[in-house]
Structure formats: structure tokens, C-alpha cells
Amino acid sequence: GKDLLVRIFNAEGNGTVKKLYFGIKTDKIELIELNGKVKKVIPYLNKGIIDLSIPRFGIRTLRFCNASLK
């Protein structure tokens, strides 16, 4: 399909909320578990910014639904 999966690993941060900027158009962003279950839908601004917290040595997987380059 047109979904884009992005897996992010935090190697040294402290788990505080950070801003993530992305340069694609998307209908929805989902935080999904490693088994593919949707954990939650992440709200985002039209400018392509989300807030994300990842504990040290943690992994987060994001699904950008109907993604396309801007």
C-alpha cells in the first residue's frame, strides 16, 4: 500500500518528549507495537511535527498512513 513504517531507536536520550519533523503528507500517524497492533493515533500539526517520547534504548514504530512526498 501507501503506508510508510518508520522504526526509531533511542540510543542515548533520557526519554523526555522531543519534536519530530517529517517531510511527507499523511492522513494519519499511528504508534504501533512490534506485533503490528495500533497502540494510539498520534496527533500532528499540518507542518509535519509530532511530539514523541522514547525511553533510553527504547524502540518506537510509526505508521504514516497514505504517505506521499511533499
Side-chain angles (χ1 to χ4, degrees):
K2 293 186 176 185
D3 293 351
L4 173 68
L5 293 175
V6 176
R7 188 158 288 149
I8 302 170
F9 174 71
N10 182 5
E12 59 184 50
N14 58 8
T16 59
V17 175
K18 303 291 184 186
K19 295 206 179 297
L20 175 68
Y21 300 88
F22 56 94
I24 59 174
K25 294 180 186 176
T26 186
D27 292 339
K28 175 172 60 171
I29 303 171
E30 299 172 335
L31 178 64
I32 60 174
E33 297 177 0
L34 292 176
N35 65 3
K37 284 182 59 176
V38 176
K39 189 169 183 180
K40 74 177 192 175
V41 175
I42 298 176
Y44 67 97
L45 301 173
N46 288 334
K47 297 182 192 289
I49 302 169
I50 62 172
D51 290 328
L52 190 62
S53 173
I54 306 173
R56 187 172 188 179
F57 303 121
I59 297 172
R60 294 289 184 261
T61 304
L62 303 174
R63 177 185 294 142
F64 294 84
C65 300
N66 293 320
S68 64
L69 295 175
K70 285 185 179 178

